[in-house]
Amino acid sequence: MPGKNLRPLAGKPLIGWTIEAAREVAGLDDIIVSTDDPEIAGVARTFGASVPFIRPADLAADNVHAIHVILHCLDWLEEQGRLPDAIMMILPTSPLRRAWHIRQALQAFMEDPGCPVISVYRSLTPMISFRWLEAGRLVPVAAAETMNLQRQDLKPLYGVNGSIYIAPPEVLRRHGTFHTEEARPFVMDRLHSLDINSLDDFAMAEHLLKSPDFDLDKSLLAEEETR
């Protein structure tokens, strides 16, 4: 989706939702936007983020993983003598993530600051329900002795929602990822976990943001866990 980060969503560009949420959180030394796009840089500054460097062209391609952008930012911070105790990656594609999610994730990280924290949501679709499509056939992603197990008999499944990642710099340098064996979960409800990757996602986010029945400041986690 070209121009996704600047696409208007409920009255403001998509990236603005994330910057505004981050600005409400005390304890963040800086909110840095890494981009190679002058227009994104300008909008980011308008919303109160800093854009202290322009991302190199070799890190601007669609096939570049976000961790390489983070490591580039860490290199820049270290050159400035500003290496932080921890770095948080909050992607602009999670506009329903609120400041209180960020605060709670930070609190979870501080309980064991040597290990990453990654936000997840509980999937209501069990692994045995997923299929590959191969040569016109349905092939189970995860084999099971019986494919007719009831959902309540299965181990809860959690998916990474792409909203919040936190780790100390030395862990990112050593492993080249937030996804280490020691990584701990920060569980969010499914609606606040909405990840914008398509026009359908945009339409759903627009509906939720304008819906009188959806309270951005209310967690639906307890309600989901009882289903």
Side-chain angles (χ1 to χ4, degrees):
M1 294 182 61
K4 175 172 62 177
N5 290 331
L6 296 180
R7 186 181 180 90
L9 175 66
K12 67 184 72 169
L14 179 62
I15 195 173
W17 290 93
T18 288
I19 296 173
E20 286 188 341
R23 289 190 64 197
E24 294 179 27
V25 180
L28 298 182
D29 293 329
D30 201 356
I31 302 167
I32 296 176
V33 170
S34 174
T35 182
D36 67 317
D37 187 323
E39 188 176 2
I40 291 178
V43 170
R45 292 187 180 104
T46 298
F47 277 87
S50 65
V51 189
F53 54 79
I54 294 298
R55 189 191 305 175
D58 61 334
L59 292 178
D62 290 339
N63 61 350
V64 174
H65 195 280
I67 188 60
H68 298 114
V69 176
I70 294 297
L71 292 174
H72 170 263
C73 184
L74 279 175
D75 288 341
W76 183 88
L77 287 168
E78 192 166 19
E79 290 172 1
Q80 309 303 309
R82 296 175 52 200
L83 192 64
D85 296 325
I87 190 162
M88 174 187 292
M89 179 172 70
I90 46 176
L91 302 176
T93 48
S94 298
L96 303 187
R97 173 229 302 110
R98 311 311 297 145
W100 54 269
H101 289 116
I102 299 174
R103 292 191 197 100
Q104 290 178 6
L106 280 171
Q107 291 170 2
F109 174 74
M110 292 307 299
E111 292 173 4
D112 187 359
C115 300
V117 165
I118 299 173
S119 61
V120 297
Y121 70 100
R122 181 171 176 176
S123 173
L124 299 184
T125 304
M127 183 61 75
I128 63 170
S129 294
F130 285 101
R131 303 287 185 273
W132 304 109
L133 297 185
E134 296 182 358
R137 303 291 182 182
L138 294 171
V139 179
V141 171
E145 291 184 8
T146 173
M147 301 304 290
N148 296 320
L149 291 171
Q150 297 296 314
R151 190 179 69 188
Q152 60 268 26
D153 297 326
L154 297 170
K155 190 175 182 179
L157 185 67
Y158 292 85
V160 174
N161 64 8
S163 182
I164 303 173
Y165 303 79
I166 314 173
E170 60 271 18
V171 168
L172 295 175
R173 297 267 195 223
R174 184 165 65 252
H175 296 281
T177 183
F178 288 91
H179 301 277
T180 69
E181 292 183 358
E182 297 79 20
R184 293 168 294 130
F186 173 66
V187 182
M188 295 171 57
D189 63 69
R190 288 183 301 144
L191 285 184
H192 283 95
S193 295
L194 181 63
D195 185 24
I196 304 289
N197 288 297
S198 67
L199 290 175
D200 287 347
D201 296 332
F202 252 104
M204 188 180 301
E206 186 92 16
H207 173 74
L208 290 170
L209 288 168
K210 294 181 177 180
S211 172
D213 298 322
F214 179 55
D215 186 352
L216 276 176
D217 293 320
K218 176 186 176 184
S219 174
L220 303 176
L221 186 59
E223 297 175 27
E224 287 193 348
E225 290 180 338
T226 60
R227 294 175 189 170

